[in-house]
């Protein structure tokens, strides 16, 4: 499906995807690079510390675009097929992955066919997130000429209608779901349970595998790959974890850790208690308030819990002040900016060092990949304000 979309992406986002960081023109990809200086600060050996920079992911600058864009374009592809075939499309079809084989049209039609574009303009996409998911869904929908309900200034400037829901994230998702259900021309991108979204994230595992091979990074029982991923509701890290299970298989040991804020460890709670989405952080007296935008989620995705409980190696938490320490180190040592929330993954080595014998072995013998999940679309002024809060910024 991603491959089928390439000609369309080249038409819609020529600046971002004509020469992507990895893959053929039209691939929505991000760089993988060594960060040895940061690795040294984290106690890792040279060559054993890599940054998967979804912070610079083509088009939307965050991991959430992998799922969000995939779902929006998947909906549009189903609608196009029904339109060309003179058929009605059912919501259940929109929740399955479009099969381009035998579709009878190229993805480029979604940019070039005026009648199809007019048809798409009658449809609405709703998303519960004000964050990076909302941004990527909104930008994808706007590029296709579809209406979308969501996020703030950048989206508004591209003609997207923005509605804001107050309250906790699971309530915002529920509000978006209800709003969409009342409109038959509307599709809701469900961050808590969409399988299409999940599959969109998972494809990144194959990109990572190919990039590791290009960099000649060994992944073997003696040299496991340890992947640290910031985690909110669990959709993106869950999809990536599941994808890595498929991409690397049992022969190539990949150990995935989820990183969460101390105040909102919803997936850790779901995993520790075994209760999944039946438990939320308020149940253990936490208020969910954190500076880690995108990770401030009180209740885990049931889909993440059910899929990843048997696959994930572990999870850990981080205090907000430590996020800014890691951000300061990354800016100073690697000249890289990522969202503070993404720095949650840099807590991994410290937790492994203080952990079991197996954890210490993973720390010493593994090659560590830190998934920088967002950053490039943070406006310059906001970026400067965030860096000013790091220890280096305060000097
Ligand atoms: C930058 C960033 N990292 C990580 C995540 C976590 O993704 P998920 O909520 O799917 O676990 C988000 C969510 O919006 C995010 O914006």
């Amino acid at each position: 499906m991603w491959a089928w979309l390439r000609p369309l992406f080249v038409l819609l986002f020529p600046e971002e995807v004509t020469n992507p960081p990895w893959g053929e023109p039209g691939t929505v990809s991000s760089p993988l690079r060594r960060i040895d200086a940061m690795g040294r600060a984290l106690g890792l050996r040279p060559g054993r510390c890599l940054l998967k920079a979804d912070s610079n992911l083509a088009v939307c600058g965050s991991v959430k675009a992998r799922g969000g864009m995939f779902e929006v374009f998947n909906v549009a592809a189903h609608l196009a097929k029904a339109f060309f075939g003179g058929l009605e499309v059912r919501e259940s079809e929109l929740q399955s992955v479009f099969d381009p084989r035998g579709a009878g049209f190229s993805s480029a039609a979604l940019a070039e066919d005026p009648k199809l574009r007019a048809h798409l303009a009658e449809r609405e996409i709703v998303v519960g997130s004000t964050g990076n998911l909302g941004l990527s869904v909104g930008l994808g929908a706007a590029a296709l000429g579809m209406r979308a309900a969501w996020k703030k200034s950048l989206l508004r400037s591209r003609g997207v209608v923005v509605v804001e829901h107050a309250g906790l994230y699971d309530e915002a998702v529920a509000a978006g779901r209800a709003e969409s259900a009342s409109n038959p021309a509307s599709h809701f991108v469900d961050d808590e349970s969409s399988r299409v979204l999940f599959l969109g994230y998972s494809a990144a595992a194959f990109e990572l595998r190919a990039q590791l091979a290009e960099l000649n990074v060994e992944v073997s029982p003696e040299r496991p790959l340890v992947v640290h991923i910031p985690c909110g509701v669990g959709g993106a890290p869950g999809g990536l974890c599941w994808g890595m299970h498929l991409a690397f298989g049992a022969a190539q040991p990949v150990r995935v850790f989820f990183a969460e804020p101390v105040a909102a460890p919803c997936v850790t709670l779901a995993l520790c208690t075994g209760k999944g989405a039946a438990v939320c952080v308020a149940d253990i007296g936490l208020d969910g308030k954190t500076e880690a935008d995108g990770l401030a989620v009180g209740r885990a995705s049931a889909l993440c819990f059910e899929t990843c409980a048997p696959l994930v190696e572990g999870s850990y938490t981080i205090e907000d002040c430590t996020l800014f320490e890691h951000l300061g180190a990354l800016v100073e040592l690697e000249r890289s900016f990522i969202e503070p929330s993404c720095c949650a993954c840099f807590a991994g080595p410290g937790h492994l060092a203080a952990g079991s014998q197996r954890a210490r072995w993973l720390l010493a013998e593994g090659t560590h990949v830190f998934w920088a999940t967002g950053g490039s679309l943070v406006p310059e002024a906001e970026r400067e304000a965030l860096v000013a809060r790091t220890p280096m910024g305060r000097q």
Side-chain angles (χ1 to χ4, degrees), residues 3-364:
W4 182 76
L5 288 169
R6 277 190 217 128
L8 176 61
F9 287 154
V10 171
L11 288 170
L12 295 180
F13 311 109
E15 281 170 31
E16 292 92 339
V17 301
T18 302
N19 292 304
W22 176 85
E24 294 173 31
T27 306
V28 176
S29 62
S30 73
L32 176 72
R33 62 184 182 87
R34 280 174 66 156
I35 47 165
D36 283 344
M38 185 70 183
R40 208 171 308 118
L42 294 169
L44 300 171
R45 292 185 210 153
R48 300 281 189 82
C49 184
L50 301 167
L51 191 76
K52 181 60 178 151
D54 272 6
S55 43
N56 292 88
L57 188 78
V59 186
C60 300
S62 89
V63 69
K64 298 298 284 189
R66 295 186 180 275
M69 298 262 294
F70 188 70
E71 178 143 349
V72 170
F73 283 88
N74 186 62
V75 166
H78 279 297
L79 293 173
K81 186 175 175 193
F83 176 75
F84 289 132
L87 302 166
E88 286 290 309
V89 71
R90 286 189 307 274
E91 178 57 32
S92 58
E93 265 175 88
L94 301 182
Q95 291 171 17
S96 65
V97 174
F98 177 74
D99 184 355
R101 285 169 302 181
F105 61 97
S106 143
S107 62
L110 288 125
E112 290 172 336
D113 188 310
K115 286 190 180 141
L116 174 60
R117 300 275 302 183
H119 178 66
L120 292 179
E122 290 166 10
R123 303 290 299 212
E124 181 187 56
I125 306 269
V126 176
V127 59
S129 156
T130 56
N132 283 319
L133 179 65
L135 184 67
S136 57
V137 165
L139 292 178
L144 288 164
M146 297 170 88
R147 278 180 288 130
W150 234 218
K151 151 160 190 165
K152 301 186 187 169
S153 52
L154 179 59
L155 291 179
R156 281 203 180 103
S157 71
R158 302 210 190 171
V160 177
V161 180
V162 178
V163 184
E164 299 209 41
H165 297 287
L168 293 171
Y169 188 58
D170 54 343
E171 290 168 15
V173 171
R177 198 183 283 132
E179 189 176 311
S180 179
S182 63
N183 178 358
S186 171
H187 173 78
F188 179 60
V189 178
D190 199 322
D191 207 8
E192 290 177 350
S193 61
S194 165
R195 284 171 199 278
V196 174
L197 203 60
F198 207 74
L199 284 169
Y201 300 125
S202 69
F206 295 87
E207 180 182 315
L208 176 68
R209 188 182 66 180
Q211 289 175 313
L212 289 167
E214 279 170 15
L215 293 177
N216 286 322
V217 175
E218 175 187 345
V219 184
S220 67
E222 298 74 37
R223 185 72 67 244
L225 192 72
V226 186
V227 185
H228 304 266
I229 315 175
C231 179
V233 75
L240 295 173
C241 177
W242 184 70
M244 279 184 259
H245 180 70
L246 292 183
F248 290 89
Q252 293 181 299
V254 179
R255 307 288 172 233
V256 175
F257 287 91
F258 296 161
E260 298 190 287
V262 162
C266 63
V267 174
T268 301
L269 182 64
L271 291 169
C272 288
T273 58
K275 290 186 179 170
V279 63
C280 76
V281 300
D283 297 340
I284 57 165
L286 295 174
D287 61 11
K289 285 191 186 141
T290 165
E291 304 239 20
D293 278 359
L295 311 190
V297 178
R299 192 181 299 278
S301 137
L303 180 59
C304 168
F305 173 71
E306 280 152 23
T307 317
C308 295
L311 304 179
V312 68
E313 178 77 16
S315 68
Y316 46 77
T317 58
I318 181 166
E319 307 241 19
D320 282 6
C321 58
T322 320
L323 294 174
F324 284 92
E325 283 169 22
H326 289 306
L327 176 60
L330 193 72
V331 171
E332 189 171 319
L333 300 172
E334 302 289 344
R335 302 272 157 246
S336 281
F337 172 86
I338 63 178
E339 290 180 32
S341 59
C342 318
C343 294
C345 59
F346 293 122
H351 282 289
L352 292 179
S356 64
Q357 197 179 356
R358 176 181 167 89
R360 293 197 303 278
W361 180 81
L362 286 175
L363 177 66

